[in-house]
Amino acid sequence: MNNSKRRSFIVAIIAFILTISVVALRPVHADDDDGPEYTISKLNINCQIEKNGAVRLTRTVTYNFDDDADGLTYQQELPKTNSPYHVEKVEIADNNAKLKPIQQNDSENNNTYTVTQGDKDDTFLIKTYHSVDCDNNVTIRYVFTMNDAVTNYADAARLNYKVIGNDTDVTQKNVHIKFNFGQKNLTPFKAWIHCDAFHTQNVSTKDGTLSLAIKKLPANKYVEADILFPKSVTVQNQNVKNSKIINKTITQEKKITRERELSFFLNYCLLPLVIIGYAALRFLIVKRKAQKAKVLKVDEIPHNFDIPTMPVGMANALLKERGSIFNDKRIDKFNAFTGELLQLHNEGKIEIESLDDDYRITLKDSSIINGKFSKNEDIYSLLFYVIGDALNQLKDAVMEDKHRAKDVSKALDNWFNEYLETVKRWYTIPVADKISDNNQNYLIMTLLILLGWVNRKDWDLKIVLIALICLATVLLFLFAYRHNTNFNAEGLKKYIRIAGFQKMLHDTSNFKNSQLGDLILWKDILPYAAGFGLAPKVLERLHQDFSDAEFVSTFGPNNSFYYDGQDGEDFYGQVHSTFSDASSRASNGNSSSGGGFGSSGGFGGDSGDGAF
């Protein structure tokens, strides 16, 4: 993975984590359009089951306001449209003071309340007028009774009630609910709680109670209790049916449980399993197909003094497939081409001559022309048949004509890509190589899928955490085989040889005189030194141990670009800068143009707290 790809990985990951952190951890308030902002820090509900089948509720709510407010509201859905109900009292207190009762009347004065029909026929609304200053808290207690809440069947009594409705627009914290049946040793006594939040419950048949605790209930989520208990608890109940209910309710709850489990799987498990499973499959394929031996680190690779038998471009492509062993020596196609020019000169296929302030390059063997490309797409055809035979001519052409710069840049890419494709074809395992090449696109696609999934679930904290686990797992699998090579056995062998040769050139300054060998050998070595970007360093070391006369005797007087320190640096630097300028100019030209859980059907769903 090169540096630019590594940076894009890191930026994408940081952006993903910051986005979900900011959105998931943002405070939840009531909608600005619905009134003042507030949170609910405590909710206690006590449900007393009466002998006549009614439920007497004592509901105590603590609000924390971030704005000034004029009062509070509570809407309660009834068991039936015409079910009788009675609001006994409303008590209120500011800032944790003692609760005090307030009057019911239509004056709309401070510390009064009204009881009217709600926004649906089967609801009633308690509206309490009580002014609240910003940053204060208010506790309000409602005490009311609803008839027809319990139905007596032939074999048991049933209360199926959404004790918290889904009409509250903020998260409710520290929720405690208790059902009292007024009778001990209940038989039968079965209870099912439907709640889309983590909760704990305690059922005591002996004491005749059911209690429930929820640390945090998300906005617009209900809590439903479906309870079967002895008819003797509601012996005076007039709401009677002759059919049996126990087996029917058990069957219904089993179905709800299955639906809940399926819903949970589809909402929370399916996509993560697909993502993690696919990541594991990719990993296993690479581990099985690619070489199990990891590429040696730089200090583990031995020096190799054998001159490679492959072109300089091929040697660089082989290193690029896995990456240079030296972090500061990025594989550079411009250096690689400079080295290949020197190699072709040695082979007599081209001739490089030093001029006063330039270098003339003449074609001697047309076999180096790649026939699969057009004249403007092959680098050697372009240089010798279209532009000219001197570096200055090439530099002038690319600086004066953007289209020519694009031709040169594209032709050089074609030249190096041919070597890269050859390396992939001869020395790598196609399946593993293809998977590794797609790592960046795969990670980006995974990020987009996870972001879309989290956003679709309204940034639910559970979803956010699951998405982070998926992302961490994918990254773990990616990094787990990042050091494994996709080379086949021959490719790994050649890579280690080329890397060892590169290391030898890199370490020439540490060699003793006896290790440098004969100067004649360096004529064939210098093209590789140029290809690896090490020519100036190698020449400096050679000049410390060989005289100018030895250089001239070995390389010849017309090859001063090989060994003359100043001219040598000029040649390598001029070739590199000429082609990198062409690539930069071409790039600049391009840029300028351009679900919820199941319910057992209990009443109370449209109930909820609010403020105005």
Side-chain angles (χ1 to χ4, degrees):
M1 186 190 301
N2 60 36
N3 290 334
S4 63
K5 287 185 177 181
R6 186 178 293 109
R7 283 194 297 270
S8 66
F9 269 36
I10 295 172
V11 170
I13 295 166
I14 292 175
F16 177 81
I17 294 174
L18 287 178
T19 300
I20 61 176
S21 297
V22 169
V23 178
L25 299 179
R26 69 194 189 281
V28 179
H29 299 290
D31 194 329
D32 291 342
D33 296 335
D34 292 340
E37 289 192 352
Y38 63 89
T39 59
I40 293 179
S41 60
K42 187 181 295 184
L43 172 60
N44 289 322
I45 302 174
N46 186 74
C47 301
Q48 180 67 48
I49 312 302
E50 304 289 342
K51 290 186 177 296
N52 64 355
V55 174
R56 184 175 184 268
L57 285 107
T58 302
R59 181 185 185 90
T60 307
V61 191
T62 299
Y63 292 79
N64 297 85
F65 281 92
D66 295 329
D67 292 322
D68 293 342
D70 295 322
L72 311 168
T73 62
Y74 174 68
Q75 178 170 269
Q76 173 64 55
E77 184 181 7
L78 297 167
K80 301 176 182 177
T81 301
N82 297 315
S83 292
Y85 66 91
H86 173 60
V87 179
E88 296 180 27
K89 60 181 176 179
V90 175
E91 298 174 317
I92 200 162
D94 293 314
N95 300 320
N96 304 314
K98 185 178 180 180
L99 289 164
K100 294 182 180 180
I102 59 176
Q103 298 296 316
Q104 177 182 358
N105 60 54
D106 297 329
S107 66
E108 299 186 2
N109 292 333
N110 197 48
N111 290 330
T112 64
Y113 70 93
T114 60
V115 181
T116 60
Q117 181 177 306
D119 57 11
K120 295 183 179 180
D121 291 342
D122 56 353
T123 63
F124 68 87
L125 175 68
I126 304 175
K127 190 171 186 179
T128 303
Y129 297 89
H130 181 81
S131 61
V132 186
D133 293 333
C134 179
D135 297 327
N136 283 354
N137 68 69
V138 176
T139 300
I140 187 167
R141 176 176 293 163
Y142 306 99
V143 181
F144 57 90
T145 302
M146 296 182 296
N147 290 356
D148 299 331
V150 176
T151 302
N152 280 21
Y153 290 87
D155 53 351
R158 185 190 192 192
L159 172 63
N160 193 13
Y161 173 39
K162 290 185 177 69
V163 64
I164 296 179
N166 52 14
D167 208 24
T168 300
D169 295 329
V170 298
T171 298
Q172 300 172 84
K173 298 179 180 179
N174 301 311
V175 178
H176 293 87
I177 303 169
K178 187 173 184 179
F179 291 88
N180 293 291
F181 295 89
Q183 182 176 312
K184 296 184 177 182
N185 300 317
L186 300 177
T187 303
F189 188 35
K190 297 180 182 293
W192 296 268
I193 302 298
H194 306 146
C195 176
D196 194 7
F198 178 78
H199 62 279
T200 58
Q201 66 186 59
N202 180 40
V203 179
S204 176
T205 302
K206 181 179 178 181
D207 295 334
T209 60
L210 167 64
S211 58
L212 184 70
I214 307 169
K215 188 172 183 180
K216 184 184 294 186
L217 181 67
N220 304 116
K221 298 296 184 180
Y222 62 80
V223 178
E224 184 178 49
D226 193 359
I227 310 170
L228 298 177
F229 52 92
K231 293 188 293 179
S232 58
V233 173
T234 52
V235 67
Q236 299 174 6
N237 190 8
Q238 300 298 311
N239 185 16
V240 177
K241 293 185 178 181
N242 294 324
S243 58
K244 293 185 177 182
I245 193 62
I246 294 178
N247 290 336
K248 183 178 180 181
T249 302
I250 291 174
T251 300
Q252 180 189 28
E253 291 297 339
K254 286 182 178 179
K255 180 181 178 182
I256 291 173
T257 299
R258 289 194 297 269
E259 291 173 350
R260 182 185 303 174
E261 291 171 349
L262 178 60
S263 175
F264 182 85
F265 176 78
L266 294 176
N267 282 285
Y268 295 96
C269 302
L270 180 59
L271 182 62
L273 286 175
V274 170
I275 290 176
I276 293 175
Y278 181 62
L281 180 62
R282 287 167 51 93
F283 171 76
L284 292 174
I285 290 175
V286 171
K287 290 290 288 184
R288 181 174 181 178
K289 294 291 185 180
Q291 293 297 307
K292 292 183 179 181
K294 293 185 177 180
V295 176
L296 298 176
K297 297 179 180 178
V298 62
D299 57 344
E300 298 173 326
I301 292 180
H303 287 128
N304 176 26
F305 291 87
D306 296 331
I307 300 174
T309 56
M310 62 179 61
V312 175
M314 177 74 85
N316 275 268
L318 198 67
L319 289 178
K320 185 175 179 63
E321 174 64 26
R322 181 59 186 87
S324 171
I325 59 172
F326 301 103
N327 294 331
D328 60 338
K329 294 298 179 185
R330 183 171 57 88
I331 304 304
D332 188 324
K333 62 185 174 185
F334 310 120
N335 284 334
F337 188 67
T338 304
E340 183 148 303
L341 289 176
L342 293 178
Q343 193 171 48
L344 292 175
H345 173 80
N346 287 346
E347 296 171 356
K349 296 181 179 180
I350 65 172
E351 182 180 5
I352 304 174
E353 300 173 273
S354 299
L355 305 178
D356 291 338
D357 60 350
D358 197 8
Y359 297 92
R360 181 166 54 228
I361 307 173
T362 306
L363 179 65
K364 294 294 186 179
D365 185 348
S366 61
S367 66
I368 67 174
I369 305 296
N370 191 332
K372 68 182 291 187
F373 296 114
S374 67
K375 188 175 292 187
N376 286 346
E377 293 178 335
D378 174 70
I379 189 65
Y380 293 116
S381 294
L382 191 61
L383 291 181
F384 297 120
Y385 295 147
V386 178
I387 295 177
D389 56 4
L391 283 180
N392 277 344
Q393 286 179 277
L394 175 61
K395 183 170 290 189
D396 291 341
V398 299
M399 295 306 294
E400 294 173 2
D401 187 346
K402 285 186 179 181
H403 294 292
R404 184 61 71 212
K406 290 181 181 179
D407 288 341
V408 172
S409 179
K410 182 178 180 181
L412 192 65
D413 285 340
N414 289 339
W415 167 81
F416 195 56
N417 287 338
E418 282 284 290
Y419 282 126
L420 291 174
E421 290 301 319
T422 301
V423 166
K424 288 181 181 295
R425 188 167 58 252
W426 290 357
Y427 301 127
T428 68
I429 300 167
V431 174
D433 203 51
K434 186 174 181 179
I435 289 177
S436 298
D437 283 348
N438 289 332
N439 277 343
Q440 184 181 21
N441 292 335
Y442 164 63
L443 180 57
I444 291 173
M445 184 60 66
T446 301
L447 287 171
L448 293 175
I449 291 173
L450 288 173
L451 280 171
W453 183 58
V454 170
N455 189 60
R456 184 179 178 185
K457 301 299 182 182
D458 296 325
W459 295 88
D460 183 285
L461 182 58
K462 293 190 293 293
I463 296 293
V464 171
L465 292 176
I466 293 172
L468 282 174
I469 293 172
C470 289
L471 179 60
T473 304
V474 169
L475 290 174
L476 179 64
F477 280 125
L478 287 177
F479 285 115
Y481 62 73
R482 71 188 187 281
H483 290 309
N484 281 75
T485 173
N486 295 327
F487 289 126
N488 55 30
E490 181 66 18
L492 183 59
K493 182 178 178 181
K494 287 187 178 295
Y495 170 83
I496 292 176
R497 286 181 178 176
I498 294 297
F501 190 72
Q502 182 191 29
K503 181 180 179 181
M504 181 275 294
L505 295 176
H506 184 272
D507 294 343
T508 50
S509 58
N510 300 324
F511 289 172
K512 298 177 181 178
N513 294 351
S514 59
Q515 292 179 293
L516 291 176
D518 295 330
L519 187 59
I520 188 64
L521 295 176
W522 288 92
K523 183 176 181 180
D524 293 327
I525 294 174
L526 279 171
Y528 294 96
F532 300 146
L534 298 169
K537 180 177 181 178
V538 170
L539 283 171
E540 181 181 0
R541 177 67 181 90
L542 293 177
H543 276 289
Q544 294 175 6
D545 292 89
F546 297 100
S547 67
D548 289 345
E550 288 177 296
F551 272 101
V552 173
S553 174
T554 301
F555 294 103
N558 295 325
N559 294 326
S560 60
F561 51 85
Y562 262 127
Y563 55 84
D564 188 291
Q566 183 61 40
D567 286 343
E569 290 178 7
D570 279 351
F571 176 73
Y572 304 126
Q574 282 193 35
V575 176
H576 187 284
S577 64
T578 297
F579 284 95
S580 63
D581 286 348
S583 180
S584 298
R585 187 163 174 76
S587 299
N588 291 336
N590 288 336
S591 63
S592 62
S593 61
F597 291 142
S599 166
S600 56
F603 72 94
D606 291 325
S607 309
D609 295 280
F612 63 93

